[in-house]
Amino acid sequence: MGSESDITATELRRLDGSPRTASLELRVEDGNGHEMPSLPPVDRGKDAWLFLAACFMLEGLVWGFGYSFGVFQSYYSNHPAFAGESNIAVIGTCALGIMYLDTPVIMYLHRRFPRPARYATIVGLLIMCLALALSSFSTTVTHLIVTQGIFYALGGSIAYSSCIIYLEEWFSARRGLAFGIMWSATGLSGVVLPVLLEWLLSTRGHETTLRVFACLVFALTAPLAYFVKPRLPVARWRKGAGAAPTRARPFSLRFVVERPFVMYQAFNVLEAVGFFLPGIYLPSYARSVLQAGPWPSVVAMMLVNVASVFGCVAMGSLIDRLEVTKCFLVSTVGATLGTFLLWGLSVNLPVLYLFCIVYGLFAGSYTSAWPGVMKEITKAPADGSDDERGNEHGNLADPSMVFAFLAMGRGIGNVVSGPLSEALAHAMPWKGQAFGGYGSGYGGLIAFTGATAAFGGGSYLWKRLGWL
């Protein structure tokens, strides 16, 4: 066999993981007529499940640490070296914001250079761990922004990109379920990591905590990085007969400006603007309004995270069976009613805890419907003809790039929600003039969260009206 195999488009389509071929172990020939090794099966087998287990661990540690920054923010705000600094929150904003916003760039490079991208996971992990280790030596908030914020986010994005791209190859009929299982890791880590980090910070300080976590991340993920690998051989596609091979399968970004994706993205951003607010304000709401202690206040967020684990898995299973806008509707109805009726009328901890469970189940599962959008945007024309987004290969919209721009939209919502929530929190509308949460000073936040949750399901209405 030559040093590089030129697999034709026809041969590669035989390996695309479609339901018709998902249960087969296929053998193909390269461009020189040599038989290639059999491919592992799709949706089943130890290779597929080891891949998903590795992705689950990466998801939990990469994103879970970013979502646990509130623990560090509280610590830094009271630490003599950083107390009084006004830009401590920027550390967490950079960590999460950059991981969301740089996803299109990272995914594009991964797709453009598939061979070196095979090592993206281990390279990203090394950058992450180095960033955490360097941050332990920080003496100013600026140092922390650069290391724990920017460098950590870049490493996390690089390490995580392979999970999204290769999952499309390993799972087909159960793809939505696989995404749901992987994304549920963030909810699980949202229960474990804050408790662990809080204990380490209070007993060992931030220097030791960051070094221990860097070692923990490497020890838990480096051995699994081997299993984050492509199922299909890296093919060199040709544009036409006699043409020179390209670096990777061709893809187009034209879908970004076409109406179907623009509509899905608009509702995605609107939902994201309000989604993050309960995570920021629920603990303070429990303390200041319901007079809860520190531990009962933390339990509120833990319940959201635990519920989101089950919500993500359930939504992942639904998206394999139902049309995508119906799945968004399920998430929207539960999150909207839960916010307006439970958080808005909560006058004691049990009702607030019930809201946390409902919100985690429904709002926390919203992104697990993204595989449906990815499928909708990348599907071939029903009659098999070329459409305006494709050429001789059909629709050139790439599922991983669809995910990348959806993630960027969520990042935009995350960034925008910060100043908006600050304004609503300081305005304190309806305080003392309404019942329950609406009259607590948090009424504006509650109403805004419920309204944005409702907008998140707008695609269902647009689909029924024939506009999507």
PDB file of all heavy atoms in Angstrom, residues 172-187:
ATOM      1  N   SER A 172     -24.551   6.584  14.100  1.00  0.00           N
ATOM      2  CA  SER A 172     -25.472   7.005  13.051  1.00  0.00           C
ATOM      3  C   SER A 172     -26.912   6.937  13.547  1.00  0.00           C
ATOM      4  O   SER A 172     -27.529   7.960  13.833  1.00  0.00           O
ATOM      5  CB  SER A 172     -25.296   6.121  11.810  1.00  0.00           C
ATOM      6  OG  SER A 172     -26.220   6.475  10.807  1.00  0.00           O
ATOM      7  N   ALA A 173     -27.452   5.711  13.682  1.00  0.00           N
ATOM      8  CA  ALA A 173     -28.832   5.570  14.152  1.00  0.00           C
ATOM      9  C   ALA A 173     -28.987   6.064  15.584  1.00  0.00           C
ATOM     10  O   ALA A 173     -30.055   6.537  15.969  1.00  0.00           O
ATOM     11  CB  ALA A 173     -29.265   4.103  14.050  1.00  0.00           C
ATOM     12  N   ARG A 174     -27.919   5.959  16.384  1.00  0.00           N
ATOM     13  CA  ARG A 174     -27.955   6.400  17.785  1.00  0.00           C
ATOM     14  C   ARG A 174     -27.154   7.688  17.999  1.00  0.00           C
ATOM     15  O   ARG A 174     -26.691   7.956  19.096  1.00  0.00           O
ATOM     16  CB  ARG A 174     -27.392   5.305  18.695  1.00  0.00           C
ATOM     17  CG  ARG A 174     -28.164   3.994  18.652  1.00  0.00           C
ATOM     18  CD  ARG A 174     -27.518   2.973  19.551  1.00  0.00           C
ATOM     19  NE  ARG A 174     -28.243   1.715  19.572  1.00  0.00           N
ATOM     20  CZ  ARG A 174     -27.866   0.632  20.241  1.00  0.00           C
ATOM     21  NH1 ARG A 174     -26.756   0.675  20.958  1.00  0.00           N
ATOM     22  NH2 ARG A 174     -28.575  -0.476  20.200  1.00  0.00           N
ATOM     23  N   ARG A 175     -27.015   8.466  16.958  1.00  0.00           N
ATOM     24  CA  ARG A 175     -26.165   9.657  17.043  1.00  0.00           C
ATOM     25  C   ARG A 175     -26.675  10.663  18.073  1.00  0.00           C
ATOM     26  O   ARG A 175     -25.908  11.207  18.862  1.00  0.00           O
ATOM     27  CB  ARG A 175     -26.077  10.316  15.670  1.00  0.00           C
ATOM     28  CG  ARG A 175     -25.100  11.477  15.604  1.00  0.00           C
ATOM     29  CD  ARG A 175     -24.935  11.918  14.160  1.00  0.00           C
ATOM     30  NE  ARG A 175     -24.307  10.864  13.381  1.00  0.00           N
ATOM     31  CZ  ARG A 175     -24.352  10.790  12.046  1.00  0.00           C
ATOM     32  NH1 ARG A 175     -25.035  11.710  11.369  1.00  0.00           N
ATOM     33  NH2 ARG A 175     -23.753   9.810  11.405  1.00  0.00           N
ATOM     34  N   GLY A 176     -27.970  10.922  18.064  1.00  0.00           N
ATOM     35  CA  GLY A 176     -28.523  11.866  19.038  1.00  0.00           C
ATOM     36  C   GLY A 176     -28.322  11.388  20.457  1.00  0.00           C
ATOM     37  O   GLY A 176     -27.960  12.169  21.348  1.00  0.00           O
ATOM     38  N   LEU A 177     -28.533  10.108  20.696  1.00  0.00           N
ATOM     39  CA  LEU A 177     -28.317   9.546  22.029  1.00  0.00           C
ATOM     40  C   LEU A 177     -26.865   9.673  22.436  1.00  0.00           C
ATOM     41  O   LEU A 177     -26.562  10.016  23.588  1.00  0.00           O
ATOM     42  CB  LEU A 177     -28.744   8.074  22.052  1.00  0.00           C
ATOM     43  CG  LEU A 177     -28.516   7.321  23.366  1.00  0.00           C
ATOM     44  CD1 LEU A 177     -29.326   7.954  24.494  1.00  0.00           C
ATOM     45  CD2 LEU A 177     -28.874   5.845  23.207  1.00  0.00           C
ATOM     46  N   ALA A 178     -25.949   9.429  21.498  1.00  0.00           N
ATOM     47  CA  ALA A 178     -24.525   9.536  21.802  1.00  0.00           C
ATOM     48  C   ALA A 178     -24.151  10.967  22.180  1.00  0.00           C
ATOM     49  O   ALA A 178     -23.419  11.200  23.155  1.00  0.00           O
ATOM     50  CB  ALA A 178     -23.695   9.065  20.611  1.00  0.00           C
ATOM     51  N   PHE A 179     -24.659  11.939  21.420  1.00  0.00           N
ATOM     52  CA  PHE A 179     -24.408  13.343  21.770  1.00  0.00           C
ATOM     53  C   PHE A 179     -24.988  13.659  23.146  1.00  0.00           C
ATOM     54  O   PHE A 179     -24.369  14.348  23.952  1.00  0.00           O
ATOM     55  CB  PHE A 179     -25.013  14.269  20.714  1.00  0.00           C
ATOM     56  CG  PHE A 179     -24.101  14.580  19.566  1.00  0.00           C
ATOM     57  CD1 PHE A 179     -24.417  14.171  18.276  1.00  0.00           C
ATOM     58  CD2 PHE A 179     -22.938  15.283  19.758  1.00  0.00           C
ATOM     59  CE1 PHE A 179     -23.597  14.454  17.206  1.00  0.00           C
ATOM     60  CE2 PHE A 179     -22.095  15.591  18.692  1.00  0.00           C
ATOM     61  CZ  PHE A 179     -22.418  15.166  17.413  1.00  0.00           C
ATOM     62  N   GLY A 180     -26.202  13.178  23.413  1.00  0.00           N
ATOM     63  CA  GLY A 180     -26.833  13.440  24.704  1.00  0.00           C
ATOM     64  C   GLY A 180     -26.037  12.872  25.856  1.00  0.00           C
ATOM     65  O   GLY A 180     -25.865  13.523  26.898  1.00  0.00           O
ATOM     66  N   ILE A 181     -25.532  11.647  25.697  1.00  0.00           N
ATOM     67  CA  ILE A 181     -24.715  11.038  26.754  1.00  0.00           C
ATOM     68  C   ILE A 181     -23.450  11.846  26.965  1.00  0.00           C
ATOM     69  O   ILE A 181     -23.059  12.130  28.112  1.00  0.00           O
ATOM     70  CB  ILE A 181     -24.378   9.580  26.381  1.00  0.00           C
ATOM     71  CG1 ILE A 181     -25.650   8.714  26.429  1.00  0.00           C
ATOM     72  CG2 ILE A 181     -23.316   9.013  27.313  1.00  0.00           C
ATOM     73  CD1 ILE A 181     -25.448   7.302  25.920  1.00  0.00           C
ATOM     74  N   MET A 182     -22.793  12.227  25.887  1.00  0.00           N
ATOM     75  CA  MET A 182     -21.555  12.996  26.010  1.00  0.00           C
ATOM     76  C   MET A 182     -21.814  14.340  26.690  1.00  0.00           C
ATOM     77  O   MET A 182     -21.109  14.731  27.626  1.00  0.00           O
ATOM     78  CB  MET A 182     -20.926  13.219  24.644  1.00  0.00           C
ATOM     79  CG  MET A 182     -19.620  14.008  24.687  1.00  0.00           C
ATOM     80  SD  MET A 182     -18.843  14.198  23.074  1.00  0.00           S
ATOM     81  CE  MET A 182     -19.949  15.384  22.285  1.00  0.00           C
ATOM     82  N   TRP A 183     -22.841  15.052  26.249  1.00  0.00           N
ATOM     83  CA  TRP A 183     -23.108  16.380  26.802  1.00  0.00           C
ATOM     84  C   TRP A 183     -23.638  16.317  28.233  1.00  0.00           C
ATOM     85  O   TRP A 183     -23.557  17.301  28.973  1.00  0.00           O
ATOM     86  CB  TRP A 183     -24.078  17.131  25.894  1.00  0.00           C
ATOM     87  CG  TRP A 183     -23.435  17.541  24.601  1.00  0.00           C
ATOM     88  CD1 TRP A 183     -22.115  17.777  24.391  1.00  0.00           C
ATOM     89  CD2 TRP A 183     -24.085  17.769  23.345  1.00  0.00           C
ATOM     90  NE1 TRP A 183     -21.886  18.134  23.085  1.00  0.00           N
ATOM     91  CE2 TRP A 183     -23.072  18.137  22.412  1.00  0.00           C
ATOM     92  CE3 TRP A 183     -25.400  17.694  22.908  1.00  0.00           C
ATOM     93  CZ2 TRP A 183     -23.346  18.430  21.074  1.00  0.00           C
ATOM     94  CZ3 TRP A 183     -25.675  17.986  21.577  1.00  0.00           C
ATOM     95  CH2 TRP A 183     -24.668  18.359  20.675  1.00  0.00           C
ATOM     96  N   SER A 184     -24.167  15.176  28.643  1.00  0.00           N
ATOM     97  CA  SER A 184     -24.635  15.056  30.026  1.00  0.00           C
ATOM     98  C   SER A 184     -23.477  15.092  31.019  1.00  0.00           C
ATOM     99  O   SER A 184     -23.680  15.330  32.213  1.00  0.00           O
ATOM    100  CB  SER A 184     -25.431  13.758  30.209  1.00  0.00           C
ATOM    101  OG  SER A 184     -24.583  12.618  30.156  1.00  0.00           O
ATOM    102  N   ALA A 185     -22.264  14.864  30.534  1.00  0.00           N
ATOM    103  CA  ALA A 185     -21.097  14.881  31.424  1.00  0.00           C
ATOM    104  C   ALA A 185     -20.898  16.244  32.070  1.00  0.00           C
ATOM    105  O   ALA A 185     -20.401  16.337  33.196  1.00  0.00           O
ATOM    106  CB  ALA A 185     -19.843  14.478  30.652  1.00  0.00           C
ATOM    107  N   THR A 186     -21.280  17.304  31.367  1.00  0.00           N
ATOM    108  CA  THR A 186     -21.143  18.644  31.948  1.00  0.00           C
ATOM    109  C   THR A 186     -22.020  18.791  33.184  1.00  0.00           C
ATOM    110  O   THR A 186     -21.604  19.371  34.190  1.00  0.00           O
ATOM    111  CB  THR A 186     -21.514  19.720  30.909  1.00  0.00           C
ATOM    112  OG1 THR A 186     -20.664  19.585  29.771  1.00  0.00           O
ATOM    113  CG2 THR A 186     -21.351  21.113  31.490  1.00  0.00           C
ATOM    114  N   GLY A 187     -23.242  18.261  33.124  1.00  0.00           N
ATOM    115  CA  GLY A 187     -24.118  18.316  34.288  1.00  0.00           C
ATOM    116  C   GLY A 187     -23.569  17.513  35.446  1.00  0.00           C
ATOM    117  O   GLY A 187     -23.608  17.952  36.607  1.00  0.00           O
TER     118      GLY A 187
END
